[in-house]
Amino acid sequence: MTSRVWWLLAAGGVAICGVLGWSVYLSRATPAVRVQAPHMVRTRPMKPAFTEVELQTFLQEARQAEAIADPLQRCLAYPEPPGVNWSKDVTAAYCHYGLDPAINGKDARELIEHGRVHELEERLADIKRAQFSEPGAQNKLDRTYNIVFADGSDGARALLDAWKRQSPDNPYALAASGSAYVAMAQRQRGSGYAKDTPQASFEAMHRLIELGRDDLDRAAALDPQMTPAYNAMLMAAGLDSDGAYAADAAKRALKVDPASYPVYARLAWMSQPKWGGTVPQMQRVIDQAQQHASQNPMLRLLLSERSGGEEYVENCACDPFAEAEMYRHVFAEAAPTRMLMRAGWAAQERRNIALSAIYRSELLRFDPSELDQRQSRAFLLIELGQTEWGLAEGNTLVKLAPREEDSYDVRGQAYRALGDAAHAAEDFEQALRLNPTDTWTLSALGDLYVNVTHEWDKGWVIANRLLQQSPDEPLGWILRATIQKSQPRDGLDETIRQFTERYGNDPTKQPVLQQLQAMKSP
């Protein structure tokens, strides 16, 4: 189930020393060090990050905001997380950056399809002028390209080719085409580990990057202020591990736009230790960006990465108080979606359900397209007692993604929490039809049959499927023994004997063995 597991977003690193070696911005590289977590030296009393009342108020206000149909207005109306003080100017700028293109995709498509590309180019030129001259318009052209043209679909490719045929030497057309090629390359690369990615995918990625770089280089040569071209160059450099190309693109971009959020965000991402960088390198990039935060408040988003970025929040050996301290320290200001995504996953792994729900809610505020994050959060809402909201989310997810088993699992879990076993079973059964080997769904359905509806024959079938598919997991054994004890059905002693022979010497299985032995008749 994609919403209940984590897939590493390994888009490919670059040679960070090459990217960040310009003396004008960074001093000599220092050895990598691990920044001490705030919980390791306690300077404040241990206390929860927020009260239960504050949590429930946040969830109530988040649900009210999510009822707003317009994505931008929903984002602007969203509550800030409890227990911290996010700046409204930062969150408002980030809402506009992700959700407010200065020209929408439908209008751009119609202008290209009707042969009116010069009108499109004039509108984009006006947007660029505003980006460089009007207060509050920082990154206006960048965000428009990121939302409208950085599309890796075949349909977008055909549309942009039509634009280039009509206007082959126009920098706006070339920047859009190059951005789309890089998005296609990223799609070819996928999100898996390099060892799990077919060589053919890498070859296709490299071909697309070359096509993209040709267009992007031409766009920047024709118009050195074409900032979306530099942003796409940095993405291409990251995919292709080309540090020299990244360094050149970054220097050219910051020369024309010293307060560029997309450039600094990409440089901070590239500086992470996982891509060969160091925490001090990240800090120097972020500190340099803060010198321009008065011109572009979104640069304050990067403060959340000063302690080490995604790896820092993922690898915290946190108890609940340390988790709360990290939340107050790392997320004192709004954070980029990639940080919110990793923090949401990590908090759930550490069983901090409330924090995970907050991180994922704020992620969905800024990027409502993250369907798997919405599915994951829906399970958390049910655990937090927001069962009616969980059911409403389940109904919505079934409409949005009717071919994904997670959608039915969410709704089934909500029905189960509401005591509606019949509808819960229907949804779990539909999820299994979509993915017959999903262990979570098998477990949920088996538990329902055995412990709620007492449909012993159906439960027996599920228990046997679990034992055949995942014999090392305890639930299949427990379901089988429970049926044998409660129906009753012959074979309880044999089930306990088989489990003991397999796992009697495994210390991790002793609690399960004790539970099974307790089922024996006196």
Side-chain angles (χ1 to χ4, degrees):
M1 301 183 62
T2 55
S3 71
R4 277 167 279 154
V5 297
W6 179 253
W7 298 101
L8 179 65
L9 300 177
V14 299
I16 300 303
C17 292
V19 177
L20 302 175
W22 354 295
S23 58
V24 67
Y25 294 116
L26 303 175
S27 62
R28 186 175 56 194
T30 56
V33 296
R34 180 171 292 278
V35 175
Q36 195 170 39
H39 64 277
M40 295 175 69
V41 178
R42 298 196 184 281
T43 58
R44 286 179 281 180
M46 293 187 299
K47 62 179 182 179
F50 40 77
T51 67
E52 178 65 20
V53 171
E54 289 173 326
L55 170 64
Q56 295 302 325
T57 299
F58 169 81
L59 293 174
Q60 179 182 357
E61 292 176 353
R63 187 178 184 185
Q64 291 171 350
E66 290 185 22
I68 299 172
D70 180 77
L72 176 61
Q73 296 307 314
R74 178 170 62 242
C75 185
L76 294 171
Y78 216 85
E80 313 306 346
V84 292
N85 296 303
W86 285 9
S87 304
K88 287 290 186 181
D89 61 335
V90 176
T91 55
Y94 203 29
C95 287
H96 283 281
Y97 184 77
L99 300 166
D100 185 25
I103 181 172
N104 63 50
K106 180 182 177 183
D107 288 347
R109 173 176 290 277
E110 288 181 353
L111 289 171
I112 295 169
E113 289 179 340
H114 290 84
R116 296 160 58 195
V117 297
H118 295 302
E119 183 178 339
L120 172 61
E121 291 155 9
E122 288 175 0
R123 291 178 63 177
L124 291 170
D126 289 339
I127 296 166
K128 190 181 73 170
R129 279 192 290 272
Q131 173 168 305
F132 284 101
S133 62
E134 295 180 6
Q138 184 69 39
N139 298 132
K140 191 173 184 178
L141 184 67
D142 300 321
R143 78 188 190 221
T144 299
Y145 268 70
N146 189 50
I147 296 170
V148 177
F149 300 124
D151 184 345
S153 68
D154 293 339
R157 180 71 264 152
L159 184 71
L160 295 175
D161 286 341
W163 184 3
K164 284 201 302 180
R165 284 194 297 272
Q166 297 176 60
S167 194
D169 296 318
N170 183 272
Y172 295 99
L174 291 166
S177 175
S179 298
Y181 273 128
V182 173
M184 294 174 71
Q186 187 173 29
R187 187 175 66 170
Q188 283 291 332
R189 170 61 180 86
S191 59
Y193 291 101
K195 65 182 178 63
D196 299 324
T197 303
Q199 182 61 29
S201 295
F202 280 112
E203 292 172 358
M205 179 194 79
H206 290 303
R207 287 194 298 270
L208 290 164
I209 287 174
E210 287 302 313
L211 292 169
R213 284 176 56 159
D214 286 344
D215 281 344
L216 296 169
D217 291 344
R218 288 180 61 203
L222 289 165
D223 183 352
Q225 286 191 318
M226 188 56 60
T227 54
Y230 301 125
N231 302 335
M233 288 177 191
L234 284 168
M235 176 62 75
L239 289 170
D240 213 19
S241 299
D242 190 337
Y245 189 65
D248 181 68
K251 286 191 287 186
R252 293 163 69 190
L254 294 176
K255 182 178 180 180
V256 299
D257 186 2
S260 172
Y261 169 74
V263 170
Y264 276 115
R266 179 58 52 183
L267 292 176
W269 181 84
M270 288 176 172
S271 302
Q272 293 181 97
K274 68 169 69 177
W275 306 132
T278 68
V279 172
Q281 285 177 346
M282 294 185 71
Q283 292 171 342
R284 287 194 291 274
V285 170
I286 294 166
D287 290 346
Q288 177 70 27
Q290 299 317 300
Q291 297 181 27
H292 306 280
S294 60
Q295 289 81 46
N296 189 353
M298 276 197 304
L299 291 170
R300 301 210 295 275
L301 292 164
L302 303 178
L303 291 171
S304 63
E305 303 186 64
R306 285 198 86 259
S307 297
E310 299 157 23
E311 284 187 299
Y312 181 80
V313 298
E314 289 173 1
N315 297 334
C316 173
C318 286
D319 60 31
F321 290 108
E323 188 94 58
E325 185 68 6
M326 185 175 71
Y327 170 73
R328 284 189 290 263
H329 174 78
V330 174
F331 295 95
E333 184 60 272
T337 54
R338 63 178 180 272
M339 283 289 288
L340 295 169
M341 184 182 297
R342 298 300 178 95
W345 168 78
Q348 182 173 344
E349 288 290 294
R350 296 189 285 264
R351 294 302 298 162
N352 197 318
I353 301 305
L355 269 180
S356 184
I358 291 168
Y359 290 133
R360 283 172 161 149
S361 294
E362 293 294 341
L363 166 62
L364 291 167
R365 168 192 190 173
F366 298 117
D367 188 358
S369 70
E370 289 285 351
L371 194 62
D372 59 336
Q373 296 296 319
R374 188 170 181 176
Q375 291 165 334
S376 294
R377 188 195 60 169
F379 287 104
L380 304 178
L381 292 173
I382 297 165
E383 288 196 57
L384 292 169
Q386 295 281 336
T387 315
E388 293 289 347
W389 189 9
L391 179 59
E393 284 290 273
N395 285 328
T396 300
L397 289 165
V398 166
K399 292 177 182 177
L400 291 174
R403 299 301 303 169
E404 292 191 18
E405 76 270 15
D406 286 11
S407 300
Y408 296 93
D409 280 329
V410 166
R411 193 169 68 177
Q413 190 76 339
Y415 278 131
R416 167 71 191 271
L418 291 168
D420 189 341
H423 281 106
E426 288 178 7
D427 277 334
F428 291 146
E429 288 165 357
Q430 176 60 21
L432 280 179
R433 282 190 282 271
L434 293 169
N435 186 357
T437 62
D438 189 281
T439 302
W440 189 95
T441 311
L442 281 168
S443 300
L445 185 57
D447 176 68
L448 189 73
Y449 285 149
V450 173
N451 294 310
V452 179
T453 64
H454 306 309
E455 296 176 82
W456 309 117
D457 289 343
K458 291 182 178 180
W460 188 258
V461 171
I462 296 295
N464 286 334
R465 286 174 66 178
L466 282 168
L467 287 172
Q468 185 176 35
Q469 181 176 310
S470 304
D472 291 341
E473 296 296 329
L475 187 60
W477 296 93
I478 293 172
L479 289 176
R480 177 196 279 185
T482 301
I483 294 168
Q484 291 166 328
K485 172 72 174 178
S486 302
Q487 186 178 11
R489 184 179 293 220
D490 293 339
L492 177 59
D493 289 343
E494 178 63 14
T495 295
I496 297 172
R497 185 191 66 78
Q498 290 178 10
F499 188 88
T500 303
E501 287 182 355
R502 282 176 178 252
Y503 307 111
N505 295 323
D506 184 345
T508 66
K509 297 293 195 296
Q510 295 310 300
V512 180
L513 180 58
Q514 293 172 11
Q515 184 176 351
L516 293 175
Q517 290 174 336
M519 294 183 188
K520 286 184 178 179
S521 299

